[in-house]
């Protein structure tokens, strides 16, 4: 068995897929999650897929006493830190909740890590920190700016990590900036399970396809893009999970500390909203009724990554196609029309 890793937010969408990838890569994992946006059922299914129970601790990253107990009980090589709130609209309505959870929670985690001398972190950041990009593809040196509290919370944490690296050269702080994660595990057992009506495109499309929602609103058809609809860099969650394994492998190879290291995880290719709708319809054999609606406030026309740094440093590259992203999403959605509540 390789090193032991603490996975905060490991019961969530990206965390659950990463737990499987980490297990397959030989890591020993402990999941710490308050289940605010996930469920015991997700943990059960991860355990079933890997064929053994996973150590799970129900706890909040803002609870330093609970975290200290976890660090006292285990000798961690490092932490993968997914725990956070992620809904942009909700963050505008409840900014304090977002800063408290995402920023204060991360500070508490970093304080406990410092106390227990665990100084390797893989942090879930987002392409949202690039705001409206000046050039495409977006590389890691691009200017950062955010327009909503969710994005700000990611940016503030990035600044905290940068300051921490300056203050203490022992830290290894890999910050993975995800582009648009979609898809599900190929078994159809785990996937994205939004609480209410989805905000994001892929879960919305799949809920229309399965008949839970009547039609998709496409926000804007007058952008300067291939067909007027928004363009994004959709990345399969399984590829994303492998990116975390690659980041840990990289940390294991280092003889000296890395400081703050931001790395994009994207495919490098943009796909338009209409192209994704067409691909999903072909794969699922379902009609996806849609209508064009006004642009969504805060949206940008196009966003896709330069994925060169991930390839050169981590030896990681996304492998799965848009078709596979749609196939796996459809398998998950059709097998679990009500997500983890499906009996
Ligand atoms: P998710 O909501 O499915 O998973 C987050 C998990 O963290 C959930 O299981 C939730 O219960 C847990 N959590 C939240 N607050 C917590 C707290 N205070 N203490 C303990 N656990 C807590 O989200 P996801 O899509 O898996 O995203 C994981 C991370 O990646 C988040 O930090 C998110 O901001 C970031 N990210 C996600 C996307 C995306 O599109 N999904 C894109 C870019 C970045
Ligand atoms: C959104 C967030 C971003 C977050 C990311 C992943 C905003 C402004 N940005 O990114 O901060 O990191 O999710 O969680 O919310 N679309 C439709 N109809 C829909 C839903 C989406 O046409 O019902 C379009 C959008 O206008 C956009 C594209 O689909 O052009 C992708 O949208 P979405 O999946 O929400 O992701 P982002 O906006 O890229």
């Amino acid at each position: 068995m390789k090193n032991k890793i603490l996975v905060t937010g490991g019961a969530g969408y990206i965390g659950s897929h990463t737990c499987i990838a980490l297990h397959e890569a030989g890591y020993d994992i402990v999941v710490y999650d308050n289940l605010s946006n996930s469920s015991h059922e997700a943990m059960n299914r991860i355990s079933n897929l890997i064929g053994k129970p996973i150590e799970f601790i129900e706890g909040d990253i803002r609870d330093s006493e609970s975290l200290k107990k976890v660090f006292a009980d285990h000798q961690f090589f490092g932490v993968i830190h997914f725990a956070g709130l992620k809904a942009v609209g909700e963050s505008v309505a409840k900014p304090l909740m977002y800063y408290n959870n995402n920023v204060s929670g991360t500070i508490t985690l970093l304080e406990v890590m410092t106390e227990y001398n665990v100084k390797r972190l893989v942090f879930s950041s987002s392409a949202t920190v690039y705001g409206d990009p000046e050039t495409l593809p977006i590389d890691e040196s691009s200017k950062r700016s955010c327009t909503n509290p969710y994005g700000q919370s990611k940016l503030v944490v990035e600044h905290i990590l940068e300051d921490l690296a300056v203050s203490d050269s022992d830290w290894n702080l890999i910050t993975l900036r995800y582009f648009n994660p979609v898809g599900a595990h190929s078994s159809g057992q785990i996937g994205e399970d939004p609480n209410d009506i989805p905000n994001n495109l892929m879960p919305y499309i799949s809920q229309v396809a399965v008949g839970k929602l009547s039609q998709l609103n496409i926000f804007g058809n007058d952008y300067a893009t291939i067909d007027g609809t928004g363009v994004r860099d959709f990345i399969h969650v399984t590829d994303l999970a492998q990116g975390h394994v690659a980041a840990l492998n990289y940390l294991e190879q280092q003889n000296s500390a890395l400081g703050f290291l931001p790395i994009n995880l994207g495919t490098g290719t943009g796909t338009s909203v209409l192209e994704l709708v067409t691909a999903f319809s072909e794969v699922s054999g379902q009609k996806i009724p849609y209508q064009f609606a006004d642009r969504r406030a805060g949206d940008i026309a196009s966003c896709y990554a330069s994925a060169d740094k991930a390839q050169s440093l981590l030896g990681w590259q996304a492998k799965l196609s848009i078709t596979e992203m749609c196939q796996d999403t459809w398998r998950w959605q059709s097998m679990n029309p009500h997500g983890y509540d499906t009996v």
Side-chain angles (χ1 to χ4, degrees):
M1 190 60 79
K2 277 202 205 170
N3 287 311
K4 192 180 268 192
I5 308 295
L6 178 67
V7 185
T8 75
Y13 172 46
I14 304 170
S16 56
H17 291 81
T18 304
C19 285
I20 291 172
L22 291 172
H23 171 78
E24 286 169 352
Y27 286 98
D28 192 5
I29 52 180
V30 175
V31 170
Y32 186 87
D33 198 305
N34 67 358
L35 301 182
S36 58
N37 196 34
S38 51
S39 60
H40 285 292
E41 178 59 14
M43 290 308 306
N44 292 341
R45 294 199 187 184
I46 303 170
S47 295
N48 287 343
L49 283 169
I50 69 175
K52 70 171 195 121
I54 287 196
E55 181 159 359
F56 172 70
I57 297 149
E58 189 169 341
D60 195 296
I61 50 167
R62 291 163 296 182
D63 181 346
S64 63
E65 292 313 311
S66 164
L67 272 179
K68 280 180 194 174
K69 184 167 176 347
V70 177
F71 278 80
D73 289 348
H74 300 273
Q75 195 83 48
F76 293 118
F77 172 76
V79 177
I80 302 186
H81 177 34
F82 294 108
L85 300 174
K86 61 167 182 176
V88 173
E90 186 184 52
S91 80
V92 175
K94 299 176 180 172
L96 297 181
M97 186 168 106
Y98 271 67
Y99 287 117
N100 184 339
N101 200 79
N102 294 3
V103 179
S104 302
T106 303
I107 292 173
T108 303
L109 173 67
L110 291 167
E111 284 170 346
V112 175
M113 290 175 71
T114 307
E115 190 176 326
Y116 286 85
N117 200 30
V118 177
K119 295 192 173 173
R120 296 184 193 90
L121 179 82
V122 179
F123 171 63
S124 298
S125 189
S126 166
T128 196
V129 301
Y130 295 120
D132 196 350
E134 284 166 359
T135 52
L136 291 165
I138 306 171
D139 73 29
E140 289 81 354
S141 63
S142 302
K143 215 175 80 204
R144 287 173 290 169
S145 72
C146 288
T147 53
N148 59 71
Y150 165 70
Q152 288 289 5
S153 75
K154 292 291 172 192
L155 194 46
V156 170
V157 170
E158 287 205 5
H159 289 315
I160 291 171
L161 299 182
E162 286 173 274
D163 291 342
L164 191 59
V166 171
S167 75
D168 175 353
S169 58
D170 286 345
W171 280 96
N172 292 271
L173 300 158
I174 297 188
T175 291
L176 298 177
R177 296 180 180 146
Y178 314 148
F179 279 65
N180 287 61
V182 296
H185 191 261
S186 57
S187 64
Q189 290 299 311
I190 58 169
E192 188 169 12
D193 185 17
N195 271 334
D196 301 312
I197 295 178
N199 301 306
N200 296 120
L201 179 63
M202 185 64 117
Y204 206 107
I205 291 176
S206 66
Q207 293 198 11
V208 172
V210 86
K212 277 181 82 178
L213 297 168
S214 58
Q215 72 170 352
L216 171 72
N217 286 311
I218 295 185
F219 300 137
N221 62 346
D222 57 353
Y223 286 110
T225 60
I226 177 173
D227 54 24
T229 65
V231 165
R232 295 292 183 274
D233 187 341
F234 299 100
I235 173 168
H236 198 299
V237 66
T238 299
D239 277 330
L240 204 61
Q242 290 301 336
H244 294 76
V245 174
L248 284 183
N249 286 340
Y250 186 66
L251 285 176
E252 285 186 347
Q253 289 157 19
Q254 299 309 307
N255 297 319
S256 55
L258 294 167
F260 174 76
L261 182 64
I263 301 178
N264 288 342
L265 291 185
T267 65
T269 305
T271 302
S272 78
V273 173
L274 267 180
E275 286 171 331
L276 190 68
V277 171
T278 305
F280 199 96
S281 184
E282 277 169 13
V283 159
S284 63
Q286 306 297 311
K287 264 180 82 80
I288 318 277
Y290 65 82
Q291 65 178 9
F292 292 115
D294 289 345
R295 291 181 178 193
R296 184 172 65 180
D299 270 359
I300 54 176
S302 297
C303 175
Y304 51 92
S306 159
D308 295 349
K309 192 172 175 185
Q311 175 152 34
S312 61
L313 281 189
L314 308 182
W316 172 91
Q317 202 179 10
K319 295 196 177 91
L320 300 169
S321 65
I322 288 285
T323 301
E324 289 162 303
M325 298 178 210
C326 294
Q327 279 168 341
D328 290 335
T329 304
W330 179 235
R331 189 176 302 110
W332 155 252
Q333 182 71 72
S334 47
M335 285 170 66
N336 307 272
H338 304 291
Y340 290 114
D341 290 336
T342 305
V343 178

